[in-house]
Amino acid sequence: MKTFLLPLLLVGLALQNAPAQEPASTPDTLVWCGLDYSMVKMIGTQDFRNPEDIIPRMPEAWNELFMKEMLPKVEKLTASVRADVKAVQPGNAKLDAKSILREDGTADQMVKPTHITDKDIAALVKGYELTYKQGLGLVFVMDRLVKTQQTSCLYVVFFDIASRKVVHSERVCEKAAGAGFRNYWFGSIKRVVKDLDEHYKKAKAAK
């Protein structure tokens, strides 16, 4: 009996100490990496008066809302979709009150410009810690929320996970709409998702 149990014990120990397998993904898998607010600017004298109620709580709330309401729409783009939103969590957690600019201005002054460069986006993507090792990554890099123009601007970014090469990056500005602070600014994101199929086609063609 002891002779029989020993091999079973050794097998059990080997399985216990074996490294966990990486989650399955393929080069065709689309991986949602989250809403990245690490470089966002919240601009306006009216809507951002209490930074302690916004940062870092709201970026987390917006990411949770995306997973609940928008991820099912992303899943319609292709047969294999995964989520790996921990990629944006460290950057979002470091967001502070310096991201809020208490000033107003015209659309040409506040909406049209951007402080985010292609180099900034490439650095963000390169620095993400991802569970999945292959596939096409998708992240929304949030640029600015502008209260006077009731508009959010963000970059729709697709990148090759294996090489971290950005294959598609496009700045999009959409009107905000919704009841309450959270839903109001999330309204812009919902509008972007409606046109996500076109961005996905461009990314697949460029990959």
Side-chain angles (χ1 to χ4, degrees), residues 1 40 51 73 125 162 166-167 172 195 199 201:
M1 179 66 72
V40 74
K73 299 183 183 299
V125 165
V166 174
V167 297
V172 181
D195 297 324
H199 293 282
K201 288 177 181 176

Side-chain angles (χ1 to χ4, degrees), residues 7-36:
L8 291 179
L9 179 61
L10 293 175
V11 170
L13 290 173
L15 291 174
Q16 183 178 353
N17 295 323
Q21 288 186 336
E22 294 177 358
S25 66
T26 71
D28 292 326
T29 299
L30 177 61
V31 180
W32 168 246
C33 298
L35 305 170
D36 191 326

Side-chain angles (χ1 to χ4, degrees), residues 101-114:
L101 303 181
R102 299 295 306 282
E103 56 186 82
D104 297 316
T106 66
D108 283 344
Q109 293 170 326
M110 300 300 177
V111 176
K112 189 175 180 179
T114 180

